[in-house]
Amino acid sequence: MKVELEADKCVASGQCVLAAMDVFDQDDDGIAILLEEQVGDDRLDDVKEAIAVCPAAAIRLVEQ
Amino acid sequence: MRRIVVVGASAAGLAAAETLRREGYDGTLTLVGDEPLALYDRPPLSKQILAAEWEPERLALRTPDALAALNLDLRLGVAATGLEPADRTVELAHGSALPYDGLVIATGVRPRRLPGEGAHILRTLDDALTLRKRLTPGRRLVVVGAGFLGAEAAAVAWRLGCEVTLLEPAPVPLAHAVGMEVGKVLTNAHLERGVKLRCGVTVTEVTEDGVRLADGEVIEADEVLVAVGSLPNTEWLAGSGLTVGDGVVCDEYCAAAPNVYAAGDVARWYNPLFGTSMRIEHRTTAAEQGMAAARNLLRPEAGKPFAPVPYFWSDQYDMKIQAYGYLRGHDEVALVEGDLAERKFVAAYRTGDRVTGALAVGMPPKAIRQWRQAIATGAAWHDSVRTTVTAVES
Ligand SMILES: Cc1cc2nc3c(=O)[nH]c(=O)nc-3n(C[C@H](O)[C@H](O)[C@H](O)COP(=O)(O)OP(=O)(O)OC[C@H]3O[C@@H](n4cnc5c(N)ncnc54)[C@H](O)[C@@H]3O)c2cc1C
Ligand code: SF4
């Protein structure tokens, strides 16, 4: 699955980093950065957790 | 469990519904919301929507595909009007009744109002679009209440060229929440730009030409925004037997009664991390609590206490404010990094002998993360706050 991030919606809460540290990071302003665009099944649960806790609804998973 | 009803179709309700499906629940899942619109997000209402930077489409909480995948029995534009826990039914406006095996209450809050007609409030998309049409350059806006919501709206209105006056009953805005010194620092951002602030004033009434204060003075305005706090939407629970007292009262598992859970702005629950009951009106708590309530509803035998570090952010002018923990009722505030006057700092909050909160303005995430961690682990104040800090009066 592919992770999509709408960076201009991001409010720098860092929730995604807490949920999936190897998929998300934050820049100096706190805006989320995608470390990995393609995630395997083993990371899906954490990414779904990040989607659920992101207060800006800025993260999506898209099927390919 | 074959029938689960979630009442309240917003952040907390959606998080509960998504979690139920993620955790394998495949029965009927009904989501009831009294707003007719598709599920949308509120924080941008007082920011990008009010500033006309975003159009309403950007507020959607999920894409249509993501929503469809949840296979919901979605009932929008219908209010729940009653609850009968003995029969396990939720009554809906129009007289129909929904049976349930499990229920999540996520009906949120609504703004408090003041006597008199014609004032704006800011809770729904409609509210925001109505106000934004009126914020044209030169217009005089009075904002009653200088809390985070009022302050955000004031900042946007100033940017749009309005003449803004903030009225606040307390001597320093936000002092009860963030302390005197931090409250003053946040307030200065308004004063520097020429937004007027009058503290220690009580507005008794909204009038045709502005607002009237307790001493009879009238402050003239073209538009009035009332932002003086909110009331939990619990009226529909009257007679249900649930305990309601400034919110739906829940235990640490977010349970209000057997098979009945509450989440989000409407829920008052016991947070074991801070050893106190609280009701939090933060966007992240709404989502986290919706998830926790859903999990505990599905698997009460494996129930987990809901013990989050509350997190809140606010955008005003060029300030990004972030707060962690439970700052209310703190005993001491210390500046632990940065500079208050530059509005780049982290302040830590002590309650008893623990770090219970942190507030940051304009700091990189790494500087803040350790404080979040200190709060989450209940770190002792004296271990965390070393000697180099400046104590700021609270
Ligand atoms: C303008 C604004 C700006 C904000 N900015 C921030 C911010 O910057 N940072 C932050 O952390 N938080 C912010 N918040 C707070 C955040 O939006 C809320 O904490 C969050 O929306 C709570 O979600 P909820 O699902 O619990 O409640 P709500 O979003 O209030 O949703 C409850 C829903 O239930 C519906 N409902 C009520 N009664 C019934 C009934 N009887 N039957 C059916 N449906 C019913 C309501 O109409 C509503 O749609 C802001 C809020 C507002 C209004
Ligand atoms: S959780 Fe969402 S808002 Fe927070 S940093 Fe990640 S993408 Fe941004």
Side-chain angles (χ1 to χ4, degrees):
Chain A
M1 296 273 256
K2 188 171 169 231
V3 189
E4 284 183 354
L5 174 79
E6 269 182 273
D8 62 337
K9 271 190 166 184
C10 170
V11 298
S13 71
Q15 302 282 108
C16 54
V17 181
L18 292 172
M21 208 163 278
D22 46 356
V23 182
F24 302 96
D25 197 357
Q26 288 171 281
D27 70 14
D28 277 351
D29 294 327
I31 303 303
I33 308 166
L34 264 185
L35 298 176
E36 270 182 74
E37 277 200 1
Q38 304 291 336
V39 289
D41 286 350
D42 54 326
R43 309 301 302 131
L44 270 191
D45 277 354
D46 287 348
V47 172
K48 284 184 183 168
E49 182 89 11
I51 293 172
V53 292
C54 171
I59 311 168
R60 268 196 307 263
L61 263 177
V62 283
E63 206 107 33
Q64 291 191 302
Chain B
M1 222 171 278
R2 299 306 306 156
R3 292 172 306 193
I4 296 182
V5 174
V6 179
V7 184
S10 189
L14 172 68
E18 287 187 332
T19 304
L20 290 167
R21 290 300 192 215
R22 269 170 63 206
E23 303 271 318
Y25 170 72
D26 62 359
T28 305
L29 182 50
T30 306
L31 181 60
V32 183
D34 61 1
E35 290 187 75
L37 294 168
L39 283 64
Y40 68 92
D41 210 7
R42 290 181 210 287
L45 295 178
S46 52
K47 307 174 182 74
Q48 294 89 345
I49 293 290
L50 200 57
E53 288 166 5
W54 288 9
E55 286 315 308
E57 296 76 56
R58 294 220 71 187
L59 292 187
L61 279 170
R62 292 293 180 263
T63 61
D65 285 353
L67 267 188
L70 291 175
N71 188 19
L72 295 175
D73 167 23
L74 191 57
R75 315 271 184 108
L76 293 180
V78 190
T81 51
L83 171 66
E84 280 293 346
D87 308 341
R88 297 201 166 176
T89 52
V90 171
E91 286 148 30
L92 300 182
H94 322 316
S96 58
L98 276 176
Y100 67 81
D101 304 317
L103 173 67
V104 179
I105 297 169
T107 44
V109 299
R110 64 179 180 283
R112 281 177 52 203
R113 293 176 186 259
L114 290 172
E117 302 282 304
H120 298 271
I121 50 169
L122 187 44
R123 183 80 197 170
T124 66
L125 177 57
D126 244 8
D127 296 339
L129 294 176
T130 306
L131 179 57
R132 103 173 180 190
K133 271 196 231 125
R134 312 303 282 268
L135 296 182
T136 47
R139 214 137 166 97
R140 295 167 305 169
L141 172 71
V142 159
V143 180
V144 186
F148 284 107
L149 182 67
E152 285 186 355
V156 169
W158 173 82
R159 222 166 64 220
L160 295 174
C162 299
E163 255 180 60
V164 186
T165 305
L166 274 165
L167 303 179
E168 167 62 38
V172 174
L174 294 169
H176 68 286
V178 304
M180 274 305 189
E181 292 302 321
V182 175
K184 280 185 201 156
V185 164
L186 300 182
T187 308
N188 279 339
H190 301 280
L191 299 178
E192 279 168 15
R193 290 168 170 89
V195 166
K196 293 193 201 86
L197 173 70
R198 286 189 56 185
C199 292
V201 295
T202 308
V203 174
T204 51
E205 193 191 355
V206 177
T207 65
E208 231 163 65
D209 45 6
V211 295
R212 180 169 293 119
L213 306 183
D215 63 4
E217 185 189 349
V218 170
I219 298 184
E220 289 191 6
D222 303 312
E223 304 296 333
V224 176
L225 171 64
V226 175
V228 293
S230 45
L231 299 167
N233 291 321
T234 52
E235 287 71 13
W236 67 283
L237 299 168
S240 68
L242 293 191
T243 310
V244 171
D246 184 37
V248 177
V249 177
C250 304
D251 63 14
E252 69 249 59
Y253 302 97
C254 308
N259 297 316
V260 179
Y261 289 74
D265 286 8
V266 76
R268 167 170 289 283
W269 91 107
Y270 179 82
N271 184 336
L273 181 58
F274 299 89
T276 182
S277 101
M278 52 180 75
R279 190 172 66 73
I280 300 282
E281 296 185 19
H282 295 173
R283 177 63 179 77
T284 48
T285 309
E288 291 170 339
Q289 196 164 19
M291 295 167 58
R295 288 186 178 128
N296 289 342
L297 168 64
L298 276 187
R299 278 181 268 288
E301 70 289 350
K304 270 212 203 115
F306 180 56
V309 174
Y311 165 79
F312 173 84
W313 84 96
S314 176
D315 299 324
Q316 298 165 29
Y317 309 106
D318 52 356
M319 284 193 294
K320 165 142 239 124
I321 303 162
Q322 298 187 290
Y324 296 83
Y326 193 64
L327 281 49
R328 206 155 284 221
H330 60 263
D331 298 314
E332 184 186 348
V333 187
L335 177 69
V336 291
E337 220 182 310
D339 185 327
L340 283 180
E342 279 179 25
R343 292 198 286 265
K344 273 190 192 306
F345 64 90
V346 181
Y349 293 73
R350 172 179 73 80
T351 309
D353 54 8
R354 277 176 51 180
V355 184
T356 47
L359 184 141
V361 179
M363 294 299 280
K366 285 204 183 78
I368 310 166
R369 231 169 264 162
Q370 54 176 323
W371 289 99
R372 184 185 196 289
Q373 187 63 12
I375 300 163
T377 55
W381 179 259
H382 292 285
D383 296 341
S384 314
V385 179
R386 298 278 155 72
T387 45
T388 51
V389 307
T390 324
V392 296
E393 204 185 316
S394 85

